[in-house]
Amino acid sequence: MRLWRNRRSRSKMHTLETGPWSVHGPQLTQLLLGGILCMTIASNTQTSAEATGAQETGAASAATVISFDGSSDPSSASSSSAYSATALSSLAQVSSLLPEAAALSATAALVEPYLDGYATSNVTTQIGTHAYLPCRVKQLGNKSVSWIRLRDGHILTVDRAVFIADQRFLAIKQPDKYWTLQIKYVQARDAGSYECQVSTEPKVSARVQLQVVVPRTEILGEPDRYVKAGSNVVLRCIVRGALEPPTFIMWYHGAEQLAADSRRHRTQLDPNLPEATGEGQSTIGSLIIESAKKRDTGNYTCSPSNSPSATVTLNIINGESSASAVTSSAATTRAYALSILALLLSVILIGVGHRT
């Protein structure tokens, strides 16, 4: 009898697992409770029946006479009482499991992915560096996490798969439940809104606003310099508006990179200098050319590690005659410009006179 019931129970369990219908959540909890109740009652009933059979056998061996005169059978009443007690005991056991089963059912119904954090956040980075856009998802389960660029609706990543040809984009799964979008070597055009989405219905999403800082680089003074041969030349390159000071500033004469410390050229880096306006700090990189010669004429470019480059033209003049020639040429140019301006004003005045 017990073997048959066990086989039947296994058969029913197999039907639940592989049948055409799937059972989830509260339904599964109810079926499990019903199965426990049936198995408990059946087991206790069988035990009671065996105990009753043993009592009847003992009574027969003692030559007990059973009356059939229509009165109630004591053995039958005892068996009925035992069955009722077994049923009540089984119900009590199942009732004690109901709170835990209800808690499990409620927990199963509430296990849905959700985002930990604000619906909108801001990330500020500097051009040329790496940007990391965070998205913390809890209780993800078997759902997927996607990153969308809202500017054009382009799907960038789904889980770890990348769906854009730009290899600068990458999805990183971190141990603390963060699905981070990495953008390498950030460009100014990368600024804008990005959205992290979880594949639930309705969808769960959060936005990240990426701001890209572009520092300003300039070489102090005029873009064209005229310097007398034999004098010392100092070119100063200043970087403003950077989140962090540049780690280096390289100098080039034309296409040739200048050594940081040579016989005739020296470089100097002064980071974290306060701005005159009181807003932020700046970095100055200086190129010092000692005893300038004619061959030092040409373009000089400063190239910071984290900001655009700037260029100036240096002209080395031989002797005082050359310097006076340059000064004379500059004065002639200014006089010519003033003459042109005066001529234009005369034409305008003549035209106004004719109209009057």
Side-chain angles (χ1 to χ4, degrees), residues 292-315:
K293 295 180 171 37
K294 186 69 175 177
R295 66 172 180 266
D296 294 323
T297 298
N299 293 332
Y300 285 83
T301 301
C302 72
S303 180
S305 62
N306 60 351
S307 63
S309 302
T311 302
V312 68
T313 301
L314 183 63
N315 300 279

Side-chain angles (χ1 to χ4, degrees), residues 74-88:
S75 298
S76 176
S78 175
S79 176
S80 177
S81 299
Y83 181 82
S84 299
T86 300
L88 291 174

Side-chain angles (χ1 to χ4, degrees), residues 220-274:
L220 299 179
E222 297 294 328
D224 292 314
R225 310 284 179 84
Y226 293 90
V227 180
K228 187 177 179 179
S231 60
N232 295 335
V233 180
V234 180
L235 301 178
R236 290 186 173 88
C237 175
I238 184 168
V239 179
R240 294 188 174 97
L243 296 179
E244 297 181 359
T247 55
F248 60 84
I249 295 179
M250 303 298 301
W251 283 93
Y252 295 87
H253 182 201
E256 178 187 359
Q257 180 179 333
L258 300 178
D261 190 7
S262 65
R263 185 178 302 176
R264 297 183 54 251
H265 304 93
R266 290 187 296 107
T267 61
Q268 180 178 331
L269 187 65
D270 299 313
N272 299 324
L273 298 176

Side-chain angles (χ1 to χ4, degrees), residues 55-78:
Q55 291 177 359
E56 291 177 352
T57 303
S61 61
T64 303
V65 178
I66 302 175
S67 174
F68 294 96
D69 58 357
S71 60
S72 60
D73 187 355
S75 298
S76 176
S78 175

Side-chain angles (χ1 to χ4, degrees), residues 126-127 213-219 237-243 246 275 277 279-283 302 304 306-310:
Q126 186 167 300
I127 189 171
V213 173
V214 182
R216 304 180 305 278
T217 307
E218 62 175 322
I219 297 178
C237 175
I238 184 168
V239 179
R240 294 188 174 97
L243 296 179
E275 288 281 2
T277 58
E279 298 180 358
Q281 296 178 326
S282 61
T283 299
C302 72
N306 60 351
S307 63
S309 302

